């Protein structure tokens, strides 16, 4: 399945010398290995690493806030509004902001054929941000505020939604 990553978004103070940022990154590198980063967003594998970095940022008096992300697999299909909810890092990884999206699977309530399922999926596609194939069923990402809409559409076509 997909990977949940722990992020820290930092806002560097203005008026600092150019080496200030490099000094912070060096201090962080001495304590943990970053999974990835994008500008001032540091991406980590776990909560413990984030706590360690928070200590470093507090030491340097750098404002920061938690900003978790979903790491998307290589087979992810991005829809038209992807950039409103995510980004691609310089290392080429694609992410979605965890607080902005909800993820789900659609499962038929009855023994339905692919032909019966297709109209439901086509209507749900209107608001998709990202989808990808996974077992036991495809995973879909939608705006967190569209959960009720997804449930209603799926039910209208005889399907249920499993929120992940």
């Amino acid at each position: 399945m997909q990977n949940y990553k722990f992020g820290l978004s930092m806002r560097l103070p203005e008026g600092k010398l150019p080496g200030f940022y490099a000094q912070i990154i060096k201090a962080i590198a001495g304590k943990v290995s970053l999974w990835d980063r994008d500008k001032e967003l540091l991406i980590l594998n776990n909560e413990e690493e984030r706590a360690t970095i928070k200590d470093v940022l507090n030491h340097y008096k750098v404002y920061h806030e938690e900003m978790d992300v979903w790491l998307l697999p290589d087979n992810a299909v991005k829809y038209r509004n992807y950039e409103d909810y995510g980004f691609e890092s310089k290392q080429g990884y694609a992410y979605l902001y965890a607080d902005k999206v909800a993820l789900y699977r659609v499962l038929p309530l009855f023994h339905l054929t692919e032909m019966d399922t297709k109209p439901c999926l086509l209507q749900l596609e209107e608001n998709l941000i990202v989808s990808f194939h996974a077992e036991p069923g495809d995973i879909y990402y939608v705006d967190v505020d569209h959960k009720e809409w997804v449930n209603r559409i799926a039910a209208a076509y005889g399907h249920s939604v499993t929120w992940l």
Side-chain angles (χ1 to χ4, degrees):
M1 204 165 120
Q2 65 290 346
N3 285 310
Y4 191 81
K5 297 293 181 184
F6 299 83
L8 266 177
S9 178
M10 55 183 183
R11 189 172 6 182
L12 297 172
E14 294 189 26
K16 295 288 184 179
L17 296 173
F20 183 70
Y21 181 72
Q23 189 176 9
I24 292 169
I25 296 302
K26 184 177 178 182
I28 289 170
K31 298 191 181 288
V32 299
S33 293
L34 294 178
W35 163 258
D36 197 0
R37 84 175 200 224
D38 187 62
K39 300 174 186 154
E40 294 179 347
L41 176 60
L42 308 175
I43 301 169
L44 307 142
N45 284 312
N46 58 56
E47 188 65 47
E48 294 78 25
E49 291 175 339
R50 178 164 55 196
T52 300
I53 290 181
K54 284 168 85 171
D55 289 342
V56 172
L57 296 177
N58 287 334
H59 172 77
Y60 284 97
K61 296 176 178 50
V62 173
Y63 174 80
H64 55 277
E65 59 185 303
E66 296 179 7
M67 186 178 291
D68 298 341
V69 294
W70 289 104
L71 171 64
L72 300 175
D74 292 337
N75 68 336
V77 176
K78 299 172 192 127
Y79 294 84
R80 64 180 173 10
N81 58 351
Y82 164 76
E83 291 182 1
D84 294 338
Y85 297 89
F87 62 96
E88 290 189 25
S89 71
K90 289 182 181 179
Q91 290 188 16
Y93 293 110
Y95 298 94
L96 289 172
Y97 299 110
D99 63 336
K100 292 184 175 186
V101 298
L103 56 156
Y104 65 95
R105 283 192 165 106
V106 177
L107 304 168
L109 287 175
F110 311 106
H111 189 59
L112 299 173
T113 66
E114 185 177 325
M115 182 83 104
D116 298 323
T117 302
K118 193 170 187 171
C120 176
L121 296 177
L122 282 173
Q123 190 160 0
L124 289 171
E125 190 175 300
E126 289 177 27
N127 289 313
L128 281 183
I129 300 165
V130 168
S131 67
F132 64 89
H133 180 72
E135 291 300 329
D138 291 352
I139 295 178
Y140 305 96
Y141 288 86
V142 68
D143 185 297
V144 72
D145 293 332
H146 291 149
K147 288 174 84 171
E148 185 178 330
W149 179 83
V150 168
N151 286 329
R152 283 196 321 263
I153 296 300
Y157 286 95
H159 293 64
S160 71
V161 173
T162 301
W163 294 97
L164 307 172

